[in-house]
Amino acid sequence: MFAGEDALVLPPDVLPAPHLWRLKPGRTRLGMPRPGNGLYLVLATPARETVGSTQALQVEGAALNPPGESPVPLLDADQAASDSACGSLGAAVTDQPSAAWKIQATSEPSEPSERESFWVIRPGLPAPPGSAYDEVETPCRRVFTGERCYVYLDERVTAPLARREAEALGAVFDAQLAPGVTGLLGPLPQPGIDGDPRVYLVLSPEVSAGGRSTALAYFARRDQRLRSDANPSARHSNQRDVLFIDARNLLPESRNDLYTAVSHELGHLVHFTRQAPKLPPGQEEKLWLEESLAMLASHACGLGYAASPTMFRHVQAYLSQAYKYSLTDWPGNPGRVGYGMGYLFLLYLQERFGQDVITELADRAEVGKDALERVLTARGSSYRQVFGDFSVALVNDDLFEPWESPWQFPRSRLRDVTPWGQLNGPAAMRMGPDGALVPRRADVAYMFHVKPDPLATALLVRWQGDGILAALVP
C-alpha cells in the first residue's frame, strides 16, 4: 500500500510515554501495535499561523465510515452556532474603563443601617435613552451580618423560607465561598471602596427582572467607581463591594446553582479589584480568561463539575462538541461562550503546576495570553506547549493506561459518574480515508478516532498545516 512512499515519510517524534507520538507536517507512516486497533489523532491549534480557511488532514489505510454516517462535521472558521448547549452563569455587568481604575475608600468604615437602597441593574434588558443600564432603586433590609459579608433582602420578599435561605447563604459565604475564592485568587478588597472589608450580598428578583432575563447573579464594575453624574455608567454606582443575586432562587433545591453563581461572581470581584489598578488606562482583562478564572473560583469552593449541576452542564457541553470551541475566540463558540473549556484548561494548569500558577496569573499586570505566557515561561514551559499537552490529556484521561506525564489530568477524571450524569470524556469524530478539512481557528482541540481497514498493517497520515498533531494508539 505504501510502495514508493517511504522516502517521503517524516518520522514522528516518539515521546517518553507509551503509545504517544507527535507527528510532523508531511507524511507519517504509523505501524499498528496490534492489528485492528484504532487510534486517536489530536490536533491542537494554539495559534493561527497561516492565512487560509481550512487545512487538510487525511489518513490512508483507514476503514470507511459506517454506512449512512455523514463526513466529519467541522464548522467553518467563520461560522458560529446560533444557540448554546450551556446555560448562563449570569451576566457579568461591566462598563468599559476610560481611565485607570482607582479603588479607594470613600469614607471611614461604619456599620451599615438595617435598611438600605441599592441600584439594581436588570441584565439583558435595554437601557432607557440617556442611561447606561436598565436599573431600578430597590429598598432592602439586612437579614444577616457575618465575618465577611452583609446579606440584604429585597423588602418585597417576605416569605420566611426566603429569609432562612438568605441567612444560610450568608453563613455559607463566610465558611466556604469566601475562603475558597480568596485562597485561589487573593484576599477580598482591603479596605474596599466603601472602607468596609465585608462584601454586600443583595438579593432581589429585580436581578432577573422577575424572570424576564436569565441572570442568576452579577458583579458590576460600575460599583467600583465613585458616583458621578458626568459618567452615565457611574451615575448610580453603589460605591460598595457588592454582588447582586436573583432572590427567586432562594429555595433549598436551588442551593447548588445559587452558591455556584455567587462564588463565580465573587471571583470576578476579587480578580477585578486586585488587577484593575495595575492595568494601563483603557485596558481590561480578556473575557475568556476573566470568565475562566471565575469558573475555577467556584471549583475552589468545592463546587466543581462533580458537585455543581451548573458546572457539570458547562463541562458536558464542551466535551460533547469540543471541536466547536476555542479557548480564546468566544464570539465563534456555540452561544458565544466557552465556560467549560476555559474551566478545564485552568484546572489542568492548576493540577499540573500547582495552585500558585493560578494565583500569579490572576494578579499580573498583563492580560490574556500575555499573562499566561509569562507565568508558563517562568516554569520552563510555554502556552503553545501546554495547550498541546492539554489537548492530548483530554483524550488520554482514564482511557489509556496511566503514567506520570503532562498528558493527563493528575487528579480530575473526565470519564466519571456524577450526581448530575455521566461524563464520557471528549466526543471524538470518526474519520475515514477521506479525512477532514479542519478550520484554521486558534486555540481549538480537535479529536479524531481512526479505525484501520482490516487489511491494513499501518496508516499513512498526510498533514501539512498549523498546530500540533499527536497520535495516541491504545
Side-chain angles (χ1 to χ4, degrees):
M1 180 178 294
F2 299 110
E5 292 278 12
D6 286 352
L8 301 175
V9 171
L10 296 175
D13 293 333
V14 179
L15 299 175
H19 311 319
L20 177 61
W21 293 268
R22 183 169 54 238
L23 279 60
K24 299 176 181 178
R27 300 172 180 175
T28 304
R29 188 177 188 272
L30 291 175
M32 306 307 297
R34 291 182 289 276
N37 266 30
L39 62 80
Y40 288 87
L41 291 176
V42 180
L43 176 58
T45 59
R48 185 180 299 159
E49 299 172 348
T50 305
V51 177
S53 58
T54 58
Q55 53 185 321
L57 179 59
Q58 188 177 18
V59 181
E60 185 177 334
L64 293 172
N65 286 325
E69 185 169 315
S70 59
V72 176
L74 292 182
L75 285 178
D76 192 73
D78 58 359
Q79 281 186 303
S82 59
D83 59 358
S84 172
C86 325
S88 174
L89 282 178
V93 181
T94 63
D95 60 329
Q96 299 294 323
S98 57
W101 291 92
K102 299 184 184 301
I103 311 302
Q104 57 186 3
T106 59
S107 62
E108 292 298 318
S110 61
E111 182 78 4
S113 63
E114 292 293 321
R115 187 176 184 273
E116 295 269 355
S117 287
F118 298 89
W119 282 95
V120 182
I121 298 172
R122 296 185 280 200
L125 299 186
S131 300
Y133 313 102
D134 179 82
E135 55 188 337
V136 60
E137 191 172 16
T138 305
C140 299
R141 287 193 179 276
R142 179 153 50 100
V143 298
F144 180 89
T145 301
E147 180 184 350
R148 297 180 172 93
C149 71
Y150 303 111
V151 180
Y152 280 82
L153 183 61
D154 191 313
E155 287 188 339
R156 295 167 296 176
V157 180
T158 58
L161 175 62
R163 178 169 180 137
R164 288 196 298 271
E165 289 298 313
E167 293 169 348
L169 170 62
V172 170
F173 185 93
D174 269 10
Q176 179 181 347
L177 306 187
V181 173
T182 57
L184 179 72
L185 300 181
L188 296 174
Q190 300 292 335
I193 189 172
D194 52 2
D196 193 322
R198 292 180 178 91
V199 175
Y200 287 72
L201 307 179
V202 177
L203 295 133
S204 171
E206 294 292 353
V207 171
S208 68
R212 285 181 288 157
S213 82
T214 59
L216 285 177
Y218 72 82
F219 157 70
R221 296 176 184 174
R222 70 90 176 262
D223 292 324
Q224 294 293 322
R225 288 194 183 279
L226 301 182
R227 193 172 295 127
S228 169
D229 287 336
N231 183 345
S233 68
R235 186 174 299 148
H236 293 144
S237 168
N238 290 292
Q239 295 186 154
R240 292 181 174 96
D241 299 314
V242 56
L243 306 179
F244 291 90
I245 304 146
D246 185 11
R248 297 181 313 126
N249 288 281
L250 289 173
L251 299 167
E253 58 268 28
S254 299
R255 285 176 181 171
N256 260 336
D257 282 337
L258 180 68
Y259 298 165
T260 301
V262 173
S263 60
H264 182 102
E265 300 307 324
L266 180 61
H268 284 312
L269 186 154
V270 171
H271 178 216
F272 177 78
T273 54
R274 287 183 62 78
Q275 185 196 41
K278 302 175 183 178
L279 299 181
Q283 189 172 37
E284 60 181 356
E285 184 58 271
K286 300 296 184 183
L287 173 66
W288 68 269
L289 184 53
E290 180 182 356
E291 293 294 343
S292 300
L293 287 168
M295 291 290 287
L296 198 63
S298 295
H299 183 93
C301 296
L303 294 165
Y305 61 80
S308 164
T310 300
M311 301 288 276
F312 174 85
R313 288 192 295 268
H314 285 295
V315 169
Q316 187 180 53
Y318 169 63
L319 293 178
S320 65
Q321 293 183 312
Y323 67 93
K324 290 186 178 181
Y325 287 88
S326 164
L327 178 67
T328 59
D329 176 27
W330 279 35
N333 288 343
R336 305 178 68 83
V337 300
Y339 291 112
M341 185 181 190
Y343 165 38
L344 289 182
F345 180 72
L346 291 192
L347 182 61
Y348 171 80
L349 288 187
Q350 179 180 333
E351 292 189 1
R352 177 173 169 181
F353 295 103
Q355 183 167 297
D356 287 351
V357 74
I358 304 300
T359 306
E360 183 181 339
L361 180 62
D363 202 32
R364 294 202 64 87
E366 301 89 6
V367 300
K369 280 189 178 181
D370 290 338
L372 194 55
E373 197 68 60
R374 289 292 184 94
V375 300
L376 293 176
T377 298
R379 289 160 174 81
S381 190
S382 67
Y383 171 71
R384 177 181 173 83
Q385 177 182 332
V386 168
F387 187 82
D389 294 343
F390 160 75
S391 301
V392 173
L394 288 171
V395 176
N396 176 59
D397 192 61
D398 274 358
L399 183 61
F400 302 90
E401 64 262 40
W403 64 82
E404 294 298 324
S405 77
W407 303 292
Q408 64 176 0
F409 281 74
R411 293 189 298 278
S412 297
R413 294 292 171 261
L414 305 186
R415 292 175 176 83
D416 199 6
V417 178
T418 78
W420 326 112
Q422 172 80 41
L423 284 181
N424 296 310
M429 292 164 287
R430 181 72 181 271
M431 182 188 288
D434 292 336
L437 291 175
V438 183
R440 293 187 190 275
R441 190 176 177 216
D443 308 307
V444 181
Y446 297 101
M447 303 147 204
F448 304 93
H449 183 255
V450 182
K451 187 73 172 175
D453 185 279
L455 300 179
T457 58
L459 297 173
L460 181 65
V461 179
R462 302 170 185 268
W463 172 64
Q464 190 72 54
D466 303 332
I468 303 168
L469 183 64
L472 291 88
V473 182

